[in-house]
Amino acid sequence: AKLKVQLSVPVPFTNIGLLQRNSSGVYYIGPVALPGANGAVGGPYHDIQEMYNDFIDAHFRQMLQEWAGLESHTIPDSDVDDTYKPSVFLELFPLLSSLIPHFVPPSCCSELVLHHSDLALRNIFFDPQDHAKIVGVIDWSSALIIPQFLSASLPSALFTDDDYYPFARPEFPIERWYDVPNDWICSGGRASWPNTGYELAV
């Protein structure tokens, strides 16, 4: 928590994007990969609205490429219900785009901050004499400059999810530990895993 607070201090950059360094050692803001947009990159951005417009446009182009060869109005092998159709997406696209200008975060949480994209325990060094003292953080290759409200989240690597779930137990086949912090290099043996006392339906 203290580390996140330190990283939430405003930085002297004016654009949103990937933090990079040139051959002279000068830091600058470069393009950033757009989440879920199949490798598309964009930016740097002057504000959050510009980023969201680019984000939606990238998804629109991706959907057109993926759905161009469909022989029906449904998406095969979709893991959602039958309402997930290209026609529905095309109807929603103008609505989503029209909402972007109205999304203006409060100034108190929109200042640009330094965001570490992989703030897991494996990337944090602690003082061997004082295990509560952080002495260093590594793996800054994907560090971002983003508005503070986008950085205000728990480090995802400290929690399990459906994509990465190393704690499956045969006696609790549908158990999910969304609330239990863990780190994949510090998990210990199965005997030390506690019984969560409840099960959640998937």
Side-chain angles (χ1 to χ4, degrees):
K2 291 179 180 179
L3 181 57
K4 287 291 286 185
V5 168
Q6 290 179 340
L7 292 176
S8 296
V9 175
V11 293
F13 290 101
T14 57
N15 291 330
I16 300 170
L18 184 70
L19 183 64
Q20 296 180 307
R21 187 171 61 176
N22 62 24
S23 57
S24 301
V26 176
Y27 287 95
Y28 67 98
I29 308 302
V32 62
L34 298 174
N38 199 24
V41 297
Y45 303 104
H46 294 96
D47 54 46
I48 194 69
Q49 287 81 15
E50 185 182 8
M51 187 184 78
Y52 282 151
N53 273 311
D54 208 9
F55 176 75
I56 290 182
D57 287 344
H59 276 277
F60 184 73
R61 291 191 299 271
Q62 180 184 348
M63 294 304 99
L64 289 180
Q65 291 176 357
E66 292 183 0
W67 297 343
L70 290 180
E71 298 178 356
S72 68
H73 293 292
T74 59
I75 300 174
D77 302 322
S78 174
D79 58 356
V80 292
D81 58 42
D82 292 338
T83 61
Y84 186 60
K85 301 176 180 179
S87 58
V88 175
F89 177 83
L90 292 175
E91 292 175 4
L92 291 176
F93 178 78
L95 175 61
L96 292 173
S97 299
S98 67
L99 291 174
I100 290 177
H102 302 284
F103 183 69
V104 181
S107 58
C108 63
C109 58
S110 60
E111 294 183 289
L112 298 183
V113 300
L114 176 63
H115 177 72
H116 192 295
S117 300
D118 190 18
L119 198 60
L121 292 178
R122 61 183 174 273
N123 291 329
I124 303 174
F125 290 167
F126 296 89
D127 187 331
Q129 305 302 320
D130 181 1
H131 295 170
K133 182 179 180 182
I134 296 174
V135 296
V137 179
I138 61 172
D139 196 7
W140 291 92
S141 59
S142 56
L144 302 170
I145 301 299
I146 58 177
Q148 188 182 54
F149 76 94
L150 289 180
S151 180
S153 62
L154 294 171
S156 59
L158 296 181
F159 292 84
T160 58
D161 55 39
D162 280 336
D163 295 327
Y164 176 68
Y165 186 66
F167 298 107
R169 301 191 294 178
E171 60 271 30
F172 297 100
I174 62 172
E175 181 182 46
R176 292 294 182 269
W177 285 9
Y178 291 115
D179 299 326
V180 179
N182 73 84
D183 187 273
W184 66 273
I185 61 171
C186 304
S187 301
R190 281 176 54 93
S192 65
W193 299 351
N195 184 347
T196 61
Y198 63 90
E199 297 182 11
L200 300 176
V202 177

